[in-house]
Amino acid sequence: MKRTVAFFVSLCMALVLIAVPVYGAEDRPIRVMVDGAELAFDVDPVIENDRTLVPMRLIFEALGAQVNWNADTKTVTAERQETQVSLTIGSNALFVNGEKKTLDVPAQIIQDRTLVPVRAIAESFRCIVDWDGDRQMVTVTEN
């Protein structure tokens, strides 16, 4: 009797362990914090070539920038204080006050939203950017 009970208890424990999904860090949604406030995106951020892309308008506005979109050229321009940032969908060029910088990953359209590399954008406005891979979180802090 004891062997039968022990067998069923062991079997149940094994089934529970198999049935419980294990999520790795890459399975969790990417979170973005700007000065302690978490941003709520309508399209989830994505990682491409080790770069986190986030919806353009929300990150620019969270950083206090005015955003302009030119649909004809597919170019976004954002201004905050004395800093102007400009980039075009599909191009690896980012212009900060007219100075060209090269992006590792270009801005792109995903699910009808323009996604931009968060680090490049935030650092263009002199912010500090940190990535916590264990928590899948980008932290942006005003400098």
Side-chain angles (χ1 to χ4, degrees):
M1 179 71 176
K2 285 183 180 181
R3 292 178 88 192
T4 305
V5 170
F7 172 76
F8 281 113
V9 168
S10 298
L11 180 63
C12 289
M13 289 176 65
L15 289 175
V16 166
L17 291 175
I18 292 170
V20 174
V22 177
Y23 294 103
E26 62 277 353
D27 295 330
R28 290 184 299 223
I30 299 164
R31 297 170 50 208
V32 179
M33 305 286 286
V34 175
D35 289 329
E38 186 168 353
L39 303 183
F41 299 107
D42 59 348
V43 172
D44 287 337
V46 298
I47 295 178
E48 184 174 311
N49 295 334
D50 293 328
R51 297 294 178 246
T52 304
L53 301 169
V54 298
M56 168 196 76
R57 185 165 298 277
L58 189 57
I59 191 65
F60 277 126
E61 290 177 351
L63 294 171
Q66 297 292 328
V67 183
N68 293 303
W69 170 250
N70 183 324
D72 295 332
T73 63
K74 295 187 177 177
T75 300
V76 60
T77 304
E79 292 183 47
R80 182 181 95 163
Q81 298 165 355
E82 289 87 41
T83 303
Q84 182 183 58
V85 175
S86 176
L87 57 110
T88 302
I89 300 299
S91 171
N92 284 68
L94 169 75
F95 294 90
V96 180
N97 292 334
E99 180 183 334
K100 183 180 178 182
K101 300 183 183 277
T102 302
L103 297 171
D104 294 328
V105 177
Q108 51 196 274
I109 297 176
I110 298 175
Q111 296 179 9
D112 294 325
R113 292 288 181 265
T114 300
L115 273 67
V116 296
V118 66
R119 179 177 298 277
I121 298 305
E123 288 179 349
S124 295
F125 290 115
R126 297 179 202 87
C127 295
I128 298 167
V129 181
D130 187 45
W131 167 251
D132 182 340
D134 292 335
R135 295 171 51 201
Q136 292 289 95
M137 185 182 324
V138 176
T139 304
V140 178
T141 308
E142 298 277 342
N143 192 8

